[in-house]
């Protein structure tokens, strides 16, 4: 029962994925095992997702969905300085949406990335009374076509949406090839290590461990109500997945590093770029990884059916 539910939730974006992740985390408890009991039923069906589930479209691929539309009001980004980027979310009535349900401390999360997956930025625009979102943005990777993802929950909808649109930055485009899959990423003296593999169609555990100058970081700071935010973009079409970690700051069991544990479910085999936002010493940094799902994801060990797993399937 878990699998169709999780797969059908897949296209619903942040909130649904978050809920599924929370559920997995809660059911899994603190056990570090890669294959939690509640995933045993899923693995039994994983190779045969229901047709209805396959029809679900991942987030971020559409400029309009479920009556809502992302309307850019800025037609170009600058490669030399931050300039105001403006846009609206139009509702089913065609009017700009001004009422949002806050998710992770913000009414709207904006991801900006060049289409070759370079220059990732996760920022939070301000909403004007006229329903116009605005924030200064620079095309930090240089000229090229940029993808904007607006990740939000209209108050009237009751669940999250992620809409995407392209905006160009003029100039000579010098595409960067995607870095090879790697288990470590460095940013500003921090090294982040990735454990776990993405498995198409199945929630799998990813553990990201943060170290600075070789020493584990144990005093990560809460950023937007979590110790880490993970965005995954699929290479090729930039399908979008936003995952929040198991546990929250202040819940009495979640430690402030060095490990941040996520449960992520990607919709297909392929190559993904993972971006981890974390905060330490008052600065938010992003560590980026390339990870392959499917082809190179070797199953660690088959989950051993556990008697304790039987009671979990109704938990979601
Ligand atoms: Cu955000």
């Amino acid at each position: 029962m878990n699998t169709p539910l999780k797969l059908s939730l897949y296209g619903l974006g942040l909130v649904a994925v978050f809920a599924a992740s929370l559920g997995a985390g809660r059911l899994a408890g603190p056990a570090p095992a890669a294959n939690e009991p509640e995933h045993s039923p899923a693995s039994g069906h994983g190779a045969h997702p229901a047709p209805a589930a396959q029809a679900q479209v991942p987030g971020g691929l559409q400029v309009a969905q479920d009556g809502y539309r992302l309307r850019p009001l800025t037609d170009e980004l600058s490669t030399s300085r931050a300039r105001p980027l403006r846009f609206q979310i139009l509702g089913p009535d065609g009017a700009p949406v001004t009422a949002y349900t806050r998710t992770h401390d913000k009414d709207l999360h904006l991801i900006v990335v060049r289409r070759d997956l370079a220059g990732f930025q996760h920022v939070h625009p301000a909403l004007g009374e006229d329903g116009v979102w605005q924030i200064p943005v620079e095309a930090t990777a240089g000229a090229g076509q940029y993808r904007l993802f607006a990740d939000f929950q209209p108050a009237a909808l009751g669940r999250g949406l992620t809409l995407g649109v392209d905006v160009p930055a003029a100039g000579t485009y010098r595409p960067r090839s995607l870095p090879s899959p790697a288990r470590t990423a460095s940013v500003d003296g921090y090294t982040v290590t990735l454990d776990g593999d993405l498995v198409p169609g199945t929630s799998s555990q990813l553990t990201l461990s943060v170290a600075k100058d070789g020493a584990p970081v144990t005093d990560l700071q809460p950023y937007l109500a979590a110790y880490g935010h993970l965005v995954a973009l699929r290479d090729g079409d930039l399908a979008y997945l936003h995952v929040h970690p198991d546990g929250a700051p202040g819940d009495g069991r979640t430690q402030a590093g060095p490990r941040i544990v996520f449960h992520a479910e990607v919709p297909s085999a392929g190559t993904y770029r993972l971006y981890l936002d974390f905060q330490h010493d008052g600065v938010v940094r992003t560590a980026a990884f390339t990870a392959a799902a499917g082809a190179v994801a070797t199953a660690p060990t088959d989950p051993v059916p556990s008697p304790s797993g039987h009671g979990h399937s109704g938990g979601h």
Side-chain angles (χ1 to χ4, degrees):
M1 294 181 65
N2 270 357
T3 301
L5 177 60
K6 283 187 178 175
L7 290 173
S8 66
L9 286 174
Y10 189 79
L12 301 183
L14 176 145
V15 172
V17 172
F18 181 38
S21 302
L22 262 188
R26 184 172 63 250
L27 292 171
N35 295 289
E36 294 78 8
E38 79 274 16
H39 291 155
S40 300
S43 61
H45 302 295
H48 306 285
Q54 287 179 325
Q56 290 289 341
V57 176
L61 294 175
Q62 303 182 88
V63 73
Q65 184 182 340
D66 299 339
Y68 291 85
R69 182 161 70 88
L70 170 55
R71 178 192 185 205
L73 300 173
T74 300
D75 52 17
E76 194 174 314
L77 301 178
S78 167
T79 59
S80 59
R81 62 191 176 92
R83 293 174 60 180
L85 169 69
R86 300 167 70 243
F87 62 92
Q88 291 173 315
I89 304 296
L90 302 180
D93 60 357
V97 176
T98 55
Y100 294 83
T101 300
R102 189 154 288 194
T103 55
H104 279 79
D105 283 357
K106 298 291 177 182
D107 282 348
L108 184 143
H109 303 260
L110 180 72
I111 303 297
V112 180
V113 67
R114 203 169 63 175
R115 287 209 67 104
D116 61 355
L117 299 171
F120 177 92
Q121 300 175 61
H122 175 173
V123 295
H124 301 101
L127 178 63
E129 290 180 2
D130 51 1
V132 174
W133 291 95
Q134 180 168 323
I135 189 168
V137 167
E138 178 179 347
T140 53
Q145 195 79 340
Y146 282 73
R147 188 71 171 169
L148 311 182
F149 298 95
D151 183 335
F152 61 95
Q153 179 171 336
L157 188 62
R159 56 184 172 79
L161 275 182
T162 302
L163 302 179
V165 71
D166 280 5
V167 175
T172 302
Y173 176 38
R174 295 185 179 82
R176 296 182 204 169
S177 53
L178 195 64
S180 300
R183 288 289 176 184
T184 62
S186 297
V187 54
D188 292 350
Y190 293 82
T191 302
V192 182
T193 304
L194 167 67
D195 289 300
D197 290 306
L198 296 172
V199 181
T202 299
S203 175
S204 60
Q205 180 171 310
L206 299 180
T207 302
L208 291 138
S209 304
V210 182
K212 185 181 185 188
D213 301 327
V217 173
T218 56
D219 57 346
L220 290 173
Q221 296 166 328
Y223 171 57
L224 303 176
Y227 285 123
H229 293 260
L230 187 66
V231 167
L233 298 177
R234 183 166 60 186
D235 184 36
D237 66 357
L238 277 60
Y240 171 95
L241 176 62
H242 187 167
V243 192
H244 296 110
D246 293 353
D251 66 2
R253 64 176 180 87
T254 303
Q255 297 181 325
R259 285 178 294 279
I260 313 170
V261 178
F262 297 87
H263 285 90
E265 180 175 333
V266 292
S268 72
T271 304
Y272 293 78
R273 190 71 169 160
L274 308 178
Y275 305 88
L276 173 72
D277 289 331
F278 64 97
Q279 180 168 320
H280 188 240
D281 281 347
V283 179
V284 177
R285 297 179 172 84
T286 303
F289 301 81
T290 300
V296 304
T298 54
T301 49
D302 282 333
V304 178
S306 157
S308 67
H310 289 302
H312 288 317
S313 58
H316 284 215

